[in-house]
Amino acid sequence: MRRIGRVCGIVGSLALYGIATAAIAADKVVVGVIGSLSDAPFYLAIDNGYFAEAGIAPQFEEIPSLAKQVAPLSSGDLDVASGAMAAGLYNAVNRGIPMKIVADKGRNAPGYGFNTIMVRKDLYDSGTITSLKDLKGQTIATIGTGSADVSVLNEAMKSVGLGYDDLRQTELALPNHLVALENKALPLTLTPEPFATMMVDRQVAVKLAMVDQFYPDQQQTVLIYGDRFIGERRDVARRFMTAFLRGLRAYMAGLKDGRIAGPNADEVIASLVRHSRVKDAGLLRRIVPVAMDPDGQVNAAGIERDWAFLKQKGFIQAAVTPAELIDMSFAAAAARALGPFKAP
């Protein structure tokens, strides 16, 4: 009995030694996240052991916007950043803060309009605002006046023969969108999931138009590498991308027909409930999820379109262009190594 115990103790010690060695050998990568559902690939890469297999020890720092991640990315306090595209990104690069857009992290793909123009239910029911044409002269809240949402609203208005200047935009933090509509402080918001579905559930607002209906494949969020990460830790950057892309594909395997309803849905829902702020699995099954390209490729033409409009409206002073900022080589190499994505 004592001998068995001693053997078990040795085996246990060796196992612990192996875990400790793996932890020491793993390369720490500090990642900025905004705490949205588009962080799902990170969660799945953790839960399925993809980061561990790649020898990566990710450390996630929640920073509410991509713009606020720029400074720590430039100083090397962050290796990787993620979030919604905005003018501040281009202006930062123009100030000598080098970085690269390296992968897709969320788009409004056809059937997956994750971002939606929401109208107050009383205004919709009364017939005051029932279509995009009725937005003329109205005020709409977005998460930021210098974000790509400016271009999204322009595309919405163009789709009905109007222009961006035919409506008024105001900036409002995302958690306040529901409150503003509930209190009738605003008529409209441009709001992502799960808040859009929560508004419908509360009978506060109606989904007037999902972004994919008038601007399919609009690039909402991206993954960004800092210059130091690329230049000084290139092998780690490659391994990180492979793990991320595996997580992204595990996520995409959970999507079907505009919902988290694919073969991998239970795994995706469980991972989101475990790691994200949304703990209601039923809500997650009702939302329209964000989609991503299985090979991690961004919609470069859409990014170019958003950049051009933001520059036209004076939000971007930078000379740098999207073509100079986008580097798809890491995602392309990871996709080649993993092979073609086979949709379930």
Side-chain angles (χ1 to χ4, degrees):
M1 210 46 192
R2 192 176 300 165
R3 186 166 178 267
I4 292 172
R6 184 167 179 267
V7 171
C8 289
I10 292 170
V11 171
S13 297
L14 288 173
L16 287 172
Y17 176 78
I19 292 170
T21 302
I24 292 168
D27 290 289
K28 185 175 85 168
V29 177
V30 185
V31 185
V33 295
I34 58 173
S36 75
L37 295 180
S38 68
D39 292 329
F42 294 142
Y43 304 150
L44 288 158
I46 293 168
D47 292 344
N48 293 338
Y50 302 148
F51 281 129
E53 290 173 23
I56 300 293
Q59 177 183 313
F60 296 100
E61 300 289 342
E62 191 165 320
I63 303 172
S65 71
L66 182 55
K68 291 182 179 178
Q69 294 175 34
V70 167
L73 191 71
S74 66
S75 66
D77 292 322
L78 287 181
D79 298 303
V80 180
S82 63
M85 298 290 292
L89 179 68
Y90 298 101
N91 292 330
V93 174
N94 201 49
R95 294 195 303 271
I97 305 175
M99 62 192 80
K100 294 290 184 181
I101 296 170
V102 292
D104 184 2
K105 197 172 167 288
R107 62 176 64 197
N108 287 282
Y112 291 89
F114 177 76
N115 224 14
T116 304
I117 294 177
M118 307 295 296
V119 59
R120 261 181 21 219
K121 192 174 186 301
D122 64 305
L123 296 176
Y124 184 85
D125 290 346
S126 68
T128 304
I129 303 176
T130 59
S131 73
L132 291 176
K133 287 184 178 180
D134 298 324
L135 265 61
K136 186 171 182 179
Q138 298 287 349
T139 299
I140 186 168
T142 69
I143 59 171
T145 52
S147 71
D149 287 351
V150 170
S151 178
V152 168
L153 293 178
N154 179 56
E155 294 298 321
M157 300 303 278
K158 280 168 54 181
S159 73
V160 291
L162 297 171
Y164 174 77
D165 293 330
D166 285 319
L167 80 169
R168 295 184 291 272
Q169 184 188 354
T170 187
E171 186 173 329
L172 189 65
L174 184 55
N176 295 328
H177 284 205
L178 190 153
V179 176
L181 295 182
E182 198 166 37
N183 294 339
K184 298 185 178 180
L186 286 169
L188 298 146
T189 62
L190 177 59
T191 305
E193 296 284 16
F195 294 95
T197 293
M198 290 166 65
M199 289 175 177
V200 174
D201 287 351
R202 298 264 292 266
Q203 298 189 3
V204 169
V206 173
K207 291 184 177 183
L208 186 67
M210 291 187 284
V211 172
D212 66 304
Q213 295 171 338
F214 56 83
Y215 191 178
D217 280 318
Q218 187 269 335
Q219 190 72 52
Q220 185 73 13
T221 53
V222 293
L223 192 73
I224 291 180
Y225 279 178
D227 185 60
R228 292 188 184 182
F229 190 50
I230 293 173
E232 299 173 11
R233 305 175 70 199
R234 197 169 187 86
D235 177 62
V236 179
R238 289 191 184 109
R239 287 186 277 121
F240 182 92
M241 181 61 72
T242 300
F244 170 78
L245 199 59
R246 291 179 73 187
L248 187 159
R249 289 183 174 193
Y251 168 72
M252 288 301 296
L255 306 192
K256 182 182 179 183
D257 300 330
R259 293 288 186 272
I260 305 177
N264 208 28
D266 289 345
E267 180 183 317
V268 172
I269 295 288
S271 189
L272 285 168
V273 168
R274 185 178 301 113
H275 296 284
S276 80
R277 294 195 189 99
V278 183
K279 304 303 180 184
D280 184 344
L283 174 62
L284 289 169
R285 292 186 187 279
R286 293 196 308 278
I287 68 168
V288 178
V290 63
M292 303 173 198
D293 181 79
D295 289 339
Q297 297 296 300
V298 299
N299 176 11
I303 291 174
E304 179 82 29
R305 183 188 302 186
D306 294 343
W307 171 85
F309 188 71
L310 285 167
K311 199 167 193 306
Q312 177 191 327
K313 302 305 290 184
F315 291 106
I316 294 176
Q317 291 78 47
V320 65
T321 65
E324 295 171 282
L325 199 56
I326 295 171
D327 180 356
M328 290 291 99
S329 63
F330 290 96
R336 283 194 301 271
L338 295 174
F341 174 69
K342 296 176 182 176

